[in-house]
Amino acid sequence: VHFPDTERAEWLNKTVKQMWPFICQFIEKLFRETIEPAVRGANNHLSTFSFTKIDIGHQPLRINGVKVYTENVDKRQIILDLQISFVGNCEIDLEIKRYFCRAGVKSIQIHGTMRVILEPLIGDMPLIGALSLFFLRKPLLEINWTGLTNLLDVPGLNGLSDTIILDIISNYLVLPNRITVPLVSEVQIAQLRFPIPKGVIRIHFIEAQDLEGKDTYLKGIVKGKSDPYGIIRVGNQIFQSKVIKENLNPKWNEVYEALVYEHPGQELEIELFDEDPDKDDFLGSLMIDLIEVEKERLLDEWFTLDEVSKGKLHLKLEWLTLMPTAENLDKVLTSIRADKDQANDGLSSALLILYLDSARNLPSGKKMNSNPNPLVLLSVGHKAQESKIRYKTNEPVWEENFTFFVHNPKRQDLEVEVRDEQHQCSLGNFKLPLSQLLESEDLTMHQRFHLSNSGPNSTINMKIALRVLSLEKQARSPDHQHSAQVKRPSLSKDARKSSFKPQVPVSPPPDSNKPVPASPVTDSDKKTDTAEKSQPPNASPQWPTDLSRSSSSLHASNFSYSPSHLSVKEPTPSIASDISLPIATQELRQRLRQLENGTTLGQSPLGQIQLTIRHSSQRNKLIVVVHSCRNLIAFSEEGSDPYVRMYLLPDKRRSGRRKTHVSKKTLNPVFDQIFDFSVSLPEVQRRTLDVAVKNSGGFLSKDKGLLGKLLIPLASEELAKGWTQWYDLTEDGTRPHGAS
């Protein structure tokens, strides 16, 4: 299939093939000279880390298509999008001598669209000032590990899992992270080190109409309602709206602000889901080209949802340009009511862009004459971000960019604190009222700032710029007609259903907006099939929070640039439903005592539950079948209304919860329901299945409560084969032993 704007580049593949041995040599040097020392310094448990073998394999990287952008780009840059795929049988072996740990990588697959920017173009050889490389969105990444369990047993790494590791690697490759290879002098590179976003898109996520009804039960009273919520992404900035209960015409009226670094090529992706206890149903999606929004500046329209039979979504989109002058500021402040509001809340009137370069003469940590491990904590209002840690130095160089949305620069301050990560103490701080920037030329300051509460000559070198967000209305002829161009995703609904659990906003093959250059049909079938088998990290069922968890456990390094990750609303842990709270256990103990007074209790006073548990490596899922319970305790004269609730600990979020239906008025309910959790075998063997049998009771009934609990550690070697057995229920889930 020939696409006019994407060209095949066999000459490029031949070039790469010829260069492959030399590329491999470079990669080996990179591993040994850059990655190895960085890993050793990152954690004192890893001080004996080394690569024993690095062989990238003979299969070179393939470039399946190239697209060159010449319109809507700066005159001093060339933008190339390369659709790359690498399927390599490599052998990378590593060991940590101190823990006698050996692990490695057998094969790596990576598929995605890599953007290469050649800029600035200059009138001297080599004509190109620098190369910047990054992925526009998360690439599909699969790594086949050997000995991963050994590696994850090392202290300091035991909180990680392979999904989190893949997430960290993929997000390290995605905007706004970029690899910049300078080809000319530092002076010109300075401009590249301070990337100013192209604009800000303000998304008013208003309402939807006529959505599909997915909940056909709810005890039979209500039919055909949904509990809709939306997931909105721009690049790696992700927002999740609130859930509107039982409504096919929900009104959200929420506003999000996202940075746009790169267009053409970036889209606004929106997906709607119906929240369910077990699996969230897909209610439609929408993809809008940001070039259209920029051209129009303001769009307020009803969009028809894709991939579903009905439903419309009302959005208002504003393209805000970044102005280096403060002349419009008062107008902007009035338009977002910042002149009346509290200083820290509400929509943004400006963007603060910050390049953290380095610090000098920091004081030593708590111990005299020992160098600290400095990191920088930056905050504006409620929003805080932190830099990476630099180890054992009082002259750290960070070279990192940060952005903050600012509500009212006349009243807000930037607070900067340098901390010693090792001793958790402050090495100095300073406060910059943003009103000072408003008086600076181009609203920019580039200088060494003196740190107070620090050494006598301690300074921090930063470049800080403020840009006012201005909505410029386009001058239009009165007869101008417009409707925004909506991109149709090429991934069909069936492919979406088969490959992903819709709890996760789907990341189809990264260039889903363009038809994938696939030869015969079988190729696309293979694509969904591999997507299903591989279950990339973005398909883990605890989607949004996994992101924030992995980022927080690694000092938010992947997301430190984008303030929006702080707006990722975590699905709230459902307090009401999780009756594994201490109070429920106490109630149950009291009930047991009352029963004990009347009769003598048998071996299992709370009854038993029968479960089948196994792990399917083919589907990469833990499968749990809840068969039945017997001899449960009665909650009232009429018996109990039991149902079973499960979590795969430590995940206790609503999205990680699985529930059976309710069985009415019985002490021996039969459920025979199958549930699954997306999790790999090495990972699941470190998890515990938390099972609670609960009494449903009516709405607002005081009869809701716990009938018994069970905690099953899943460290068994038999997990791949699976087993079926009866378990005793206890009041707090401890001492689970098979009854038969």
Side-chain angles (χ1 to χ4, degrees), residues 291-561:
I291 291 182
E292 293 293 312
V293 186
E294 189 197 10
K295 277 184 197 157
E296 289 301 312
R297 300 298 156 101
L298 177 63
L299 281 177
D300 191 342
E301 282 188 34
W302 282 92
F303 295 93
T304 307
L305 291 166
D306 286 333
E307 301 180 74
V308 279
S309 56
K310 58 179 191 169
K312 291 193 297 186
L313 180 62
H314 183 194
L315 297 174
K316 179 177 161 193
L317 305 174
E318 298 173 88
W319 179 274
L320 305 171
T321 42
L322 301 163
M323 307 297 286
T325 61
E327 60 195 46
N328 285 350
L329 181 61
D330 290 333
K331 200 166 90 185
V332 173
L333 289 173
T334 313
S335 73
I336 63 164
R337 302 202 176 116
D339 44 357
K340 301 182 181 63
D341 274 358
Q342 296 300 309
N344 290 329
D345 296 315
L347 297 176
S348 308
S349 64
L351 187 70
L352 182 71
I353 304 160
L354 199 141
Y355 175 65
L356 169 64
D357 183 71
S358 58
R360 272 193 203 159
N361 304 321
L362 291 180
S364 51
K366 281 192 174 169
K367 291 180 191 160
M368 290 307 287
N369 305 328
S370 74
N371 279 332
N373 294 349
L375 68 102
V376 179
L377 201 64
L378 305 150
S379 57
V380 176
H382 307 308
K383 298 170 198 135
Q385 298 179 51
E386 59 181 41
S387 73
K388 296 190 172 69
I389 303 164
R390 292 290 173 252
Y391 290 92
K392 297 195 168 34
T393 173
N394 60 358
E395 305 251 321
V397 176
W398 288 284
E399 297 189 339
E400 284 182 71
N401 293 296
F402 300 89
T403 45
F404 286 95
F405 283 104
V406 179
H407 180 60
N408 186 345
K410 291 185 173 181
R411 297 191 199 163
Q412 287 183 269
D413 302 320
L414 165 69
E415 294 182 35
V416 178
E417 183 181 23
V418 185
R419 292 189 65 79
D420 177 10
E421 187 266 343
Q422 197 173 1
H423 297 116
Q424 295 299 316
C425 62
S426 176
L427 297 172
N429 54 10
F430 81 92
K431 186 187 271 194
L432 177 74
L434 298 182
S435 49
Q436 280 190 29
L437 279 164
L438 293 172
E439 292 152 20
S440 310
E441 190 183 346
D442 285 344
L443 311 188
T444 303
M445 295 170 88
H446 188 184
Q447 65 185 69
R448 293 198 160 277
F449 295 92
H450 194 78
L451 289 170
S452 46
N453 305 321
S454 186
N457 302 319
S458 305
T459 57
I460 186 164
N461 186 3
M462 298 163 86
K463 181 174 178 182
I464 309 172
L466 200 61
R467 293 289 178 264
V468 176
L469 300 179
S470 141
L471 176 67
E472 300 172 337
K473 299 281 195 302
Q474 293 286 73
R476 288 282 178 211
S477 57
D479 56 341
H480 171 75
Q481 291 290 309
H482 169 74
S483 175
Q485 175 189 352
V486 177
K487 299 216 163 187
R488 304 279 168 216
S490 62
L491 197 70
S492 73
K493 192 157 58 169
D494 300 338
R496 176 191 293 277
K497 274 187 186 150
S498 68
S499 338
F500 297 94
K501 190 169 166 47
Q503 184 70 37
V504 183
V506 177
S507 295
D511 230 1
S512 68
N513 55 311
K514 309 182 186 73
V516 180
S519 24
V521 184
T522 50
D523 197 58
S524 62
D525 291 351
K526 224 182 301 172
K527 225 177 212 85
T528 55
D529 197 44
T530 49
E532 181 166 9
K533 277 192 200 125
S534 62
Q535 278 284 325
N538 48 1
S540 86
Q542 328 86 313
W543 167 71
T545 341
D546 239 18
L547 275 167
S548 8
R549 189 179 64 198
S550 67
S551 66
S552 62
S553 62
L554 280 119
H555 302 294
S557 59
N558 320 321
F559 295 94
S560 52
Y561 299 91

Side-chain angles (χ1 to χ4, degrees), residues 19-291:
M19 290 168 67
W20 190 245
F22 303 93
I23 294 172
C24 290
Q25 282 180 34
F26 164 72
I27 293 172
E28 184 167 343
K29 277 184 200 155
L30 181 79
F31 271 65
R32 293 206 190 283
E33 294 167 19
T34 311
I35 298 174
E36 189 170 294
V39 173
R40 285 181 170 187
N43 184 318
N44 58 357
H45 295 295
L46 300 177
S47 54
T48 55
F49 174 98
S50 64
F51 288 104
T52 49
K53 180 175 184 181
I54 299 168
D55 177 10
I56 307 299
H58 300 301
Q59 199 59 39
L61 176 95
R62 268 200 67 75
I63 294 149
N64 300 322
V66 180
K67 183 173 178 180
V68 183
Y69 293 90
T70 49
E71 295 170 8
N72 298 323
V73 299
D74 193 313
K75 291 278 180 284
R76 299 196 59 181
Q77 64 175 194
I78 297 169
I79 297 181
L80 310 170
D81 276 1
L82 309 181
Q83 292 164 9
I84 63 163
S85 58
F86 173 60
V87 180
N89 284 345
C90 45
E91 272 185 70
I92 301 171
D93 294 345
L94 53 96
E95 65 171 358
I96 303 169
K97 286 201 173 68
R98 180 169 162 191
Y99 295 102
F100 306 100
C101 160
R102 291 197 171 168
V105 172
K106 273 199 299 206
S107 66
I108 296 178
Q109 280 199 45
I110 188 163
H111 304 275
T113 302
M114 181 194 260
R115 175 154 291 185
V116 180
I117 300 184
L118 313 177
E119 70 163 350
L121 300 179
I122 48 177
D124 282 308
M125 289 310 282
L127 301 179
I128 297 161
L131 277 174
S132 292
L133 314 171
F134 52 86
F135 283 84
L136 280 170
R137 58 168 80 91
K138 208 153 126 176
L140 179 71
L141 177 66
E142 220 183 286
I143 297 180
N144 191 350
W145 303 90
T146 54
L148 184 65
T149 34
N150 309 343
L151 189 61
L152 297 180
D153 285 340
V154 172
L157 296 186
N158 40 21
L160 288 176
S161 69
D162 54 345
T163 18
I164 294 176
I165 293 171
L166 288 178
D167 252 345
I168 295 160
I169 298 170
S170 332
N171 283 309
Y172 199 77
L173 304 170
V174 176
L175 262 179
N177 295 322
R178 49 175 91 204
I179 298 167
T180 301
V181 184
L183 304 177
V184 290
S185 74
E186 277 294 302
V187 182
Q188 286 158 312
I189 292 307
Q191 302 150 1
L192 293 177
R193 288 222 175 118
F194 196 65
I196 289 188
K198 296 278 193 307
V200 166
I201 181 165
R202 187 178 286 153
I203 304 151
H204 296 261
F205 189 65
I206 304 172
E207 58 185 324
Q209 254 182 24
D210 199 21
L211 296 177
E212 289 183 351
K214 295 285 186 182
D215 300 345
T216 49
Y217 44 95
L218 204 74
K219 303 193 176 171
I221 307 163
V222 182
K223 286 196 164 48
K225 289 286 175 85
S226 285
D227 305 329
Y229 68 91
I231 281 168
I232 297 105
R233 336 170 138 213
V234 179
N236 70 357
Q237 302 160 87
I238 301 162
F239 310 94
Q240 181 171 339
S241 79
K242 61 182 179 234
V243 177
I244 306 277
K245 289 287 181 192
E246 291 168 36
N247 199 329
L248 300 181
N249 300 304
K251 288 185 165 46
W252 291 283
N253 290 320
E254 295 186 2
V255 187
Y256 310 103
E257 292 172 326
L259 301 170
V260 182
Y261 276 92
E262 270 310 316
H263 66 74
Q266 272 201 310
E267 292 96 24
L268 164 65
E269 301 172 58
I270 296 180
E271 290 179 305
L272 299 186
F273 293 95
D274 160 38
E275 187 188 57
D276 273 335
D278 49 354
K279 184 166 132 183
D280 292 7
D281 296 309
F282 175 69
L283 293 174
S285 69
L286 196 61
M287 211 175 245
I288 294 173
D289 196 326
L290 293 180
I291 291 182

